[in-house]
Amino acid sequence: MADIARIDPHDDAALRAWFGVEQASIRADRPQALSRTYAALATAVRHPSPYVDRPLLAAVEGGATVGVAEVELTTQDNLHLAELAIHVHPDHRRRGIGRALHDAAEEIRRAAGRSTVVGELLVADGNDDPAGMAFARALGFGSVHQEEHLVLPLPVDPAGLPPPPAVTAYEIVIWRDRCPDEHVAAFCAMRTQMGRDVPVGEVAYEPPVIDEERLRSSEERTRRAYHRIVAAARRREDGEMAGYSVVFLAHDDHEALQDDTLVMPDHRGHRLGLRLKLATLEVLGREHPDRRMLHTWSDRENHAMYRTNVAIGYRRAEVLHEMQREDPS
Ligand SMILES: CC(C)(COP(=O)(O)OP(=O)(O)OC[C@H]1O[C@@H](n2cnc3c(N)ncnc32)[C@H](O)[C@@H]1OP(=O)(O)O)[C@@H](O)C(=O)NCCC(=O)NCCS
């Protein structure tokens, strides 16, 4: 049976073996996955955020890594919560390795005093019997929220895009890795609002307040592995920020991620969501012509955002289930 131990993130051979198993597992089940680069993983664990602890576990058998787990413990908010991801190499499944990794992760989360565990399960379209769902159910997890993983092949032909809404009351401001000082307060307020407004179903997650310190800390860490494009809408009349959309691009990769898009409550109804996404797409096409696929996640019940994504040409590739289990109180 495999030995399970925590790995030292500065041990390059161990971290590369860990990453190799994660990637082999993802490739086996999910042809359209958006997966991180090695540089992104190494940055996350070697330059840790002050807001998250991220122990990595490896299951090693005869000197080879055969399974991996990642536990995420936020340190300043959501202290009841632990996030968990488990991958077993496709050649080593159904031998109890996944369960053994889960049990080792359980020790970590109990020692940290967390009562709730959540994990993301991504199911490729057409896979009617995902191992991950059977595994998670066998361990007592239930699906408490679903989103669709949508993909848009790049480059996008501008002729196929909906025309940008002609709303002259707002202008678009673009920045990249670092938010200009003059927009920090507004960007933090919008990021905090995003946490409150994005649907999370029954996931027991309390969105934190994003302040300048947290924003700058995440920008410093993110820029080590990602380029970022931010488009924000500003009302011309009074300079008030009305919304934003963000794209992340891992260095040395062909993928791109359209992450948050938010229009602030008082500014909804002007199709600013579409305008913001089109603005990020324009910069993406011009500055990163090497990218081949843009990914995003959207709740089907979030009608305005979902319709905007379909109009741009996104199509569904996977369904994301947030799997959750809470200790009995
Ligand atoms: C899910 C995964 C981690 C399971 O790893 P594993 O080592 O094969 O799991 P185990 O052998 O410990 O199985 C534990 C239990 O899960 C259930 N299970 C696991 N795979 C299953 C499958 N393909 N079909 C039905 N049940 C399954 C069974 O109840 C099993 O117990 P049993 O073998 O005594 O019947 C592995 O398939 C994987 O890496 N999948 C891709 C990533 C993923 O989906 N991770 C989980 C996200 S929540």
Side-chain angles (χ1 to χ4, degrees), residues 165-167 169-170 235 242 263 266-275:
V167 183
Y170 296 87
R235 188 159 57 191
V263 178
D266 289 351
H267 300 270
R268 291 181 187 161
H270 304 293
R271 303 184 72 213
L272 283 176
L274 173 62
R275 189 153 164 215

Side-chain angles (χ1 to χ4, degrees), residues 25 29 86-88 92-100 120-121 131-132 134-136 138 323:
S25 166
D29 302 322
I86 297 181
H87 285 281
V88 174
H92 297 275
R93 292 184 180 169
R94 289 316 287 275
R95 292 174 38 221
I97 295 168
R99 195 187 284 274
E120 295 192 340
L121 172 66
F135 174 74
M323 305 300 294

Side-chain angles (χ1 to χ4, degrees), residues 21-39:
V21 170
E22 180 193 58
Q23 296 303 307
S25 166
I26 291 172
R27 274 196 305 272
D29 302 322
R30 300 174 42 210
Q32 300 194 80
L34 171 64
S35 48
R36 58 184 157 195
T37 60
Y38 180 69

Side-chain angles (χ1 to χ4, degrees), residues 197-199 298-307:
D197 286 2
V198 69
S298 188
D299 184 332
R300 230 189 148 120
E301 302 303 312
N302 189 351
H303 299 291
M305 195 79 282
Y306 199 88
R307 269 203 309 273

